[in-house]
């Protein structure tokens, strides 16, 4: 006996499908059941047959052993009498084969006797060969009118199939193509007028460098305070035990600090001192030339000044005005006009043999050089030409590189912060600003407030944490 894996019912060894639930039995023998011998004393009527495949079924079975058809849902065929034909299919029926294994099958079978494949696709109606394949036209921009045929053009109903004939599905009746309907011409669509040409975008207002520099410096001070507080929090924990949120916050604060420093460094710097000195020297030369031309013109009576002297005086004045404009564009401030040349007390007599002396421009003195003298006798020279000098300790990890690095001078053991203070040079004035350092900055022994400029001069004692230095100017 074969036990059904789905419902657990017992089946004959020759069963291919369960008698109770119709589940396919994998252990069933592929051979067809042997025909039952009919004794002469029994009636010649055969047992009922499956209405789907025609296989012999036993009384009381619910499902066909051959095709698995439900025998309760489908009425069982009556026994075949000797007077009826014993053929299950008419001789003219076409021979069909299983599309999977190639085994012959009977018309109307749902499953293959050999492999159990679904045979419904063998009896699907073939597509109508006479129906033309219509290819959809490409989309058009204009709306397409839909033609609705009148009632007289409705398709003819499908003829009914006689009940006695074989089960066939009639192919779809192709409708005759509708006559083309003349569409009225679409009215011309007026194109919208082209928008007027826009004028050029307004020029972007220049950045207020002073205000932007002040904003970035205040932001730098806030970032440095935040970094210092994060470092203090991290210092409370043993090495390797700093919480992740403190480490992440410290890295983010350092990144913001480096970003703000880069923005501050990218701002346009002040005018080039060398160019300013050149223009100032050129201004002095033009003024001396104008004074010389004025002296030459004063030798002549009114209305008798030679034309070449007048033209030279006008050209010298034009060059003076041009140089003053260049200096204003470079520095943003109007140069102080020179005092007018004093009129000579006595008219100077013309003497061709004695040339008039030409005033020599006074050379501009070199800028003062500042330096820091440390207690061990070493000196740190402040690079000329800069306006700010940050004092601290170099830290490549945090991207901190101060102009005055005190690491090699005992800065780390002396309590110097990475960005401790800065020296500011404006004109002839020097000052120092504490950058919210951990161990503070002192001037001549007095602690100064953070972010507050304090004037310094030659000989001022500066203290960064516990490191002492003397400010010198020469």
């Amino acid at each position: 006996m074969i036990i059904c894996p789905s419902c657990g019912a017992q089946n004959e060894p020759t069963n291919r499908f369960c008698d109770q639930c119709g589940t396919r039995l994998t252990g069933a023998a592929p051979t067809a059941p042997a025909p039952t011998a009919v004794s002469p004393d029994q009636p010649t009527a055969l047992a009922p047959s499956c209405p789907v495949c025609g296989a012999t079924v036993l009384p009381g079975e619910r499902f066909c052993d051959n095709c698995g058809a439900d025998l309760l849902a489908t009425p069982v065929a009556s026994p075949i009498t000797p007077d009826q034909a014993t053929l299950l299919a008419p001789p003219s029926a076409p021979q069909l084969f299983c599309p999977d294994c190639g085994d012959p099958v009977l018309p109307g079978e749902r499953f293959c006797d050999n492999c159990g494949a679904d045979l419904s696709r063998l009896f699907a109606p073939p597509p109508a060969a006479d129906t033309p394949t219509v290819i959809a036209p490409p989309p058009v921009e204009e709306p397409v009118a839909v033609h609705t045929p009148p009632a007289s053009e409705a398709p003819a109903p499908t003829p009914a199939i006689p009940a006695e004939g074989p089960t066939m599905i009639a192919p779809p009746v192709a409708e005759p193509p509708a006559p083309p309907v003349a569409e009225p011409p679409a009215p011309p669509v007026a194109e919208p007028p082209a928008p007027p040409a826009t004028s050029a975008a307004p020029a972007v207002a220049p950045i207020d460098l002073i205000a932007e520099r002040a904003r970035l410096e205040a932001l730098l001070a806030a970032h440095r305070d935040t970094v210092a507080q994060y470092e203090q929090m991290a210092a409370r924990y043993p090495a390797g035990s700093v919480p992740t949120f403190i480490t992440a916050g410290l890295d983010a604060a350092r990144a913001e600090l480096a970003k703000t420093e880069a923005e501050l460094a990218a701002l346009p710097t002040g005018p080039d001192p060398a160019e300013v000195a050149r223009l100032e020297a050129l201004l002095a030369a033009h003024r001396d030339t104008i004074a010389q031309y004025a002296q030459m013109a004063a030798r002549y009576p009114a209305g008798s000044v030679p034309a070449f002297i007048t033209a030279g005086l006008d050209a010298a004045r034009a060059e003076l005005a041009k140089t003053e404009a260049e200096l204003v564009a470079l520095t943003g401030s109007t140069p102080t006009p020179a005092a007018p040349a004093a009129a000579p007390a006595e008219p100077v007599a013309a003497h061709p043999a004695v040339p008039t002396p030409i005033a020599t421009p006074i050379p501009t003195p070199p800028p003062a050089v500042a330096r820091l003298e440390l207690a061990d006798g070493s000196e740190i020279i402040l690079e000329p030409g800069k306006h700010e000098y940050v004092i601290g300790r170099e830290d490549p990890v945090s991207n901190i590189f101060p102009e005055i690095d005190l690491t090699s001078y005992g800065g780390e053991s002396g309590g110097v912060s990475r960005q401790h203070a800065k020296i500011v040079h404006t004109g002839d004035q020097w000052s120092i600003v504490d950058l919210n350092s951990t161990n503070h900055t002192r001037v001549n022994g007095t602690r100064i407030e953070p972010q507050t400029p304090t004037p310094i001069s030659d000989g001022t004692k500066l203290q960064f944490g516990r490191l002492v230095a003397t400010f010198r100017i020469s």
Side-chain angles (χ1 to χ4, degrees):
M1 303 297 289
I2 299 176
I3 304 301
C4 175
S6 177
C7 65
Q10 295 183 355
N11 293 266
E12 295 293 334
T14 58
N15 286 5
R16 297 177 61 82
F17 300 91
C18 178
D19 293 338
Q20 299 299 323
C21 63
T23 303
R24 180 179 178 86
L25 304 176
T26 57
T31 58
T36 304
V38 181
S39 62
D41 299 334
Q42 293 179 347
T44 58
L46 299 178
S49 60
C50 175
V52 176
C53 65
T56 302
V57 296
L58 298 177
E61 288 185 341
R62 181 176 178 181
F63 297 94
C64 176
D65 293 341
N66 185 43
C67 66
D70 190 352
L71 303 177
L72 296 182
T74 306
V76 181
S78 59
I80 303 174
T81 61
D83 298 334
Q84 296 175 341
T86 58
L87 292 177
L88 298 179
S92 59
Q95 181 64 49
L96 302 178
F97 299 92
C98 175
D100 290 351
C101 65
D103 196 64
V105 295
L106 297 176
E109 284 188 340
R110 184 179 178 184
F111 301 95
C112 177
D113 294 342
N114 184 42
C115 64
D118 190 0
L119 304 177
S120 59
R121 48 184 166 170
L122 288 177
F123 309 107
D130 298 335
T131 304
T133 302
V134 180
I135 301 177
V140 294
E141 298 181 357
E142 298 182 358
V144 180
V146 179
H147 172 68
T148 303
S152 59
E153 298 181 6
T158 305
I161 301 175
E164 325 45 69
T167 303
M168 298 180 61
I169 299 177
V173 180
E175 299 182 3
V181 180
E183 298 290 342
V189 180
E191 297 184 358
T198 56
S199 58
V204 180
I207 301 177
D208 188 350
L209 296 180
I210 298 177
E212 182 65 13
R213 184 174 295 276
R215 185 188 71 83
L216 292 178
E217 288 179 351
L219 195 59
L220 271 181
H223 288 329
R224 287 164 183 158
D225 290 342
T226 303
V227 171
Q229 290 181 358
Y230 267 107
E231 290 175 348
Q232 291 176 1
M233 288 189 292
R236 298 189 185 103
Y237 295 88
S241 303
V242 182
T244 307
F245 62 88
I246 294 182
T247 307
L250 179 58
D251 294 341
R254 287 172 176 170
E256 289 296 326
L257 177 63
K259 176 183 176 183
T260 307
E261 287 178 344
E263 292 179 1
L264 185 59
L267 285 179
T269 58
D272 185 5
E275 182 65 14
V276 172
R278 186 188 71 83
L279 291 177
E280 288 178 348
L282 194 58
L283 276 179
H286 289 328
R287 288 166 181 159
D288 292 340
T289 302
I290 291 174
Q292 294 293 325
Y293 267 106
Q295 290 178 4
M296 287 189 293
R299 298 189 184 104
Y300 296 90
S304 301
V305 182
F308 62 89
I309 295 180
T310 305
L313 180 59
D314 294 338
R317 287 172 177 170
E319 289 295 326
L320 176 65
K322 177 182 176 182
T323 307
E324 286 178 346
E326 292 180 1
L327 188 58
V328 169
L330 184 62
T331 61
S333 59
T334 304
T336 304
E346 297 179 359
V348 180
H351 199 295
V354 180
T356 304
I358 300 175
T360 304
I362 301 175
T364 304
V369 177
R371 66 185 185 277
L372 291 179
E373 293 182 354
L374 303 179
D376 59 357
S378 56
E379 292 185 351
I380 301 177
I381 306 298
L382 277 63
E383 182 181 353
K386 288 191 175 182
H387 299 280
E388 292 185 358
Y389 304 86
V390 177
I391 303 171
R393 292 186 293 108
E394 181 177 313
D395 185 5
V397 177
S398 303
N399 197 24
I400 296 176
F401 301 94
E403 284 80 5
I404 302 176
D405 184 13
L406 298 179
T407 304
S408 58
Y409 301 96
E412 185 173 3
S413 60
V416 178
S417 300
R418 291 179 176 85
Q419 291 182 329
H420 196 105
K422 66 178 178 180
I423 295 177
V424 181
H425 180 208
T426 305
D428 296 334
Q429 180 64 42
W430 295 82
S431 60
I432 188 167
V433 181
D434 182 76
L435 301 178
N436 295 287
S437 61
T438 304
N439 297 313
H440 314 295
T441 303
R442 289 175 171 80
V443 175
N444 292 327
T446 303
R447 174 184 167 184
I448 63 175
E449 294 297 328
Q451 303 299 331
T452 303
T454 303
I456 58 176
S457 59
D458 185 27
T460 301
K461 297 292 183 181
L462 305 177
Q463 183 175 347
F464 312 102
R466 295 182 295 275
L467 192 63
V468 181
T470 303
F471 181 71
R472 295 292 186 186
I473 302 177
S474 59

